[in-house]
Amino acid sequence: MSGQMDEGERGGLASAVRRALGPAVGGFAVLVVLALLMGLIRGDSDDSDPVAVAILFIALGLFAFGLMIAGGFLAAKGLRSESMKSGSGVFAVRMAVVLAIVLPVMTLVLGLLAATDTWERDSEPFIGVWLVLALVASVIGGFAPEPGRRGLLVIPFLIGVAALVLVLSEATGIT
């Protein structure tokens, strides 16, 4: 054994993992910075922001969500390119796919129930359960004994799904 890694697995990570994790985690970091900036600039004030500041906030938000969605698409492409080798990796991917189906369906159902005044309560308990399950799938995938740590692809995949569903639900008014 020569001890050399494949060109696609420098640093122990598969190239698909590096390509997907970068934008997803970067977009999430931009979103955190945006939240901090909004808190610092707005403070406790209910006054509207100057137009330039509002445009900056919108641009940063779109950039952050775009990065997260791009990372999710890259992760989905990486997950489709090669199947997982370990049982825990397969389980994490299957769980992530189920969660990727459940989130938009849940958002649509709760949004339609709210629009028809059938459901007047918050959806946060349902979203909280989804987030916990997404965290569980991410941890299982992250610790799966996969070559090139490919189980980590679950993390940007779920971040991208959540960002895409949030953008679409806000754009359509189904929140």
Side-chain angles (χ1 to χ4, degrees):
M1 192 159 176
S2 67
Q4 270 185 328
M5 295 185 129
D6 284 348
E7 184 179 321
E9 294 186 17
R10 285 177 293 142
L13 292 178
S15 61
V17 174
R18 285 193 313 277
R19 279 193 307 268
L21 268 177
V25 173
F28 188 78
V30 170
L31 198 62
V32 169
V33 168
L34 175 62
L36 291 172
L37 279 175
M38 289 174 77
L40 289 173
I41 292 173
R42 287 185 179 166
D44 292 337
S45 174
D46 287 337
D47 297 335
S48 63
D49 296 321
V51 174
V53 173
I55 291 172
L56 174 68
F57 287 165
I58 291 169
L60 280 176
L62 290 174
F63 179 68
F65 279 101
L67 280 175
M68 291 186 290
I69 292 168
F73 278 120
L74 290 171
K77 184 179 174 185
L79 288 169
R80 290 196 64 202
S81 69
E82 185 180 341
S83 62
M84 295 291 171
K85 308 286 187 240
S86 68
S88 59
V90 170
F91 178 76
V93 170
R94 287 181 181 167
M95 188 173 178
V97 169
V98 168
L99 288 169
I101 294 168
V102 165
L103 184 62
V105 170
M106 179 178 61
T107 302
L108 181 63
V109 167
L110 290 173
L112 291 174
L113 287 173
T116 60
D117 292 330
T118 308
W119 178 265
E120 296 178 7
R121 293 181 222 123
D122 274 340
S123 60
E124 278 82 10
F126 299 104
I127 300 299
V129 170
W130 188 90
L131 283 171
V132 168
L133 292 174
L135 181 62
V136 168
S138 297
V139 168
I140 291 170
F143 286 103
E146 295 292 329
R149 307 274 312 200
R150 290 191 72 250
L152 289 171
L153 285 171
V154 169
I155 297 168
F157 175 70
L158 289 172
I159 289 173
V161 165
L164 181 62
V165 169
L166 181 61
V167 166
L168 290 176
S169 70
E170 290 295 325
T172 60
I174 300 176
T175 56

